[in-house]
Amino acid sequence: MKIHEYQGRELLVGAGVPVPAGEVIESIEDAAAAFKRVTQDAGVNLAVVKAQVHAGGRGKAGFVKLARSADEATRAARFMLTNRMVSVQTGADGLEVNRLLIAAGVNIAKEFYLAITTDRTTRQNYLIASAEGGVEIEQVAHERPDAILREPIHPTIGLQPHQARRVAFALGFTGKQVGQAVKIMLALARLYDEKDCSLAEINPLIVTPPDDANPDGAVLAIDAKFNFDDNALFRQKAVASMFDPAEENPSELRAKRVGLNYIALDGDIGCLVNGAGLAMSTMDIIKHCGGQPANFLDVGGGADKDAVTEGFRIILSDSQVQGVLVNIFGGIMRCDIIASAIVAAAKDVGFKVPLVVRLEGANVDEGRRILDEARTDIPTMRSATDLAEAARKVCEAVAA
């Protein structure tokens, strides 16, 4: 699960990480007043207006803007709240912006990258850091992998102060900056563990220029990104309450409510499969046969007839779908349940597009019998004995 930047900043503040003051707005009319409050409280005359969406590339897309007056803040808000944000992470349709963060501007002397995530090959969490913050870390890792520092975190005792100090010195922090950076790293590590995160990122972590109050400069977090393990949300009620359904695909939310794994794609052949591995191979063979999968839908092994029927409704609600491929290898999920769901879906929403069904495994004979008896009610349905035949048939039917 993802949350917005402003929510991530709230988590950082609660953990004792210094973050510039900010305020969230949802209307153009609130921008001027928010700008005045934020800048007056911080004693500055500069603010940054940032779109709150679950996608990166906001700056390059023009959805992060500096404002030096209430009028400039209002103009920035008007642009962002009346245009869809299109970036390298959103696709051509872009995302609607419903919220903005107006945060106090700060002078920046140096930018750093700081994050914690899990390395599944070593089964450990790692502190990831770089002295090249404020840019896409993937680009840095690709072009200059030696610029990325990786510090393993012990699974029982957590990140230790001496590790954080080693990273701080390696990043080039000096003087009182070192202590500030160490506190932030340790706080981020605690947050990651306590909140069941899958990613906790500060980019950039910055150092301000020296002044009378901070002769060595102040270390601040001015952006935050948090992702959470969905499987742990049952014990993270506060985190779960931060979920924003407006940022999610409605069909994916609909599937999640009945325990299905659904991801919308750009193709025209709907897929209903049991098991993630089988779903991936089904999409691959559709591509191999010249088709384009319209979705990933894994009904898993525990779905009942009603859930599978809802899966068909979701697939057929996509206007791009010109054909459907059902590929079931019965184990925990029985073939007769899938067959009954197909019949129920035909009665409920109808199959006006070609439907190709391949069943194998547990209760396959009963499943095939159910479909044979319903064949007159589902004239668009065809059967296949193996995956290659099924993919070929559905691709040919869609292309016809």
Side-chain angles (χ1 to χ4, degrees), residues 167-232:
V167 172
F169 284 124
L171 291 173
F173 288 105
T174 59
K176 293 183 179 179
Q177 299 171 8
V178 175
Q180 297 176 62
V182 167
K183 288 181 180 179
I184 292 173
M185 293 179 200
L186 295 176
L188 192 65
R190 286 194 301 272
L191 261 181
Y192 186 91
D193 184 54
E194 293 172 359
K195 301 298 184 183
D196 289 306
C197 299
S198 57
L199 174 68
E201 177 184 278
I202 299 173
N203 185 29
L205 179 73
I206 65 108
V207 175
T208 63
D211 56 27
D212 293 339
N214 297 285
D216 292 329
V219 183
L220 304 173
I222 63 171
D223 201 346
K225 179 179 180 180
F226 285 86
N227 295 345
F228 302 91
D229 184 352
D230 290 347
N231 295 314

Side-chain angles (χ1 to χ4, degrees), residues 82-131:
T82 58
N83 289 279
R84 296 179 71 85
M85 191 192 91
V86 179
S87 75
V88 294
Q89 295 189 19
T90 66
D93 291 338
L95 295 175
E96 182 179 2
V97 180
N98 297 308
R99 294 182 182 87
L100 304 177
L101 171 65
I102 299 183
V106 294
N107 292 322
I108 299 174
K110 185 74 174 71
E111 297 184 351
F112 302 86
Y113 176 89
L114 190 66
I116 296 176
T117 190
T118 302
D119 183 341
R120 298 190 181 280
T121 60
T122 62
R123 299 181 181 181
Q124 278 185 282
N125 297 332
Y126 272 79
L127 173 67
I128 311 295
S130 176

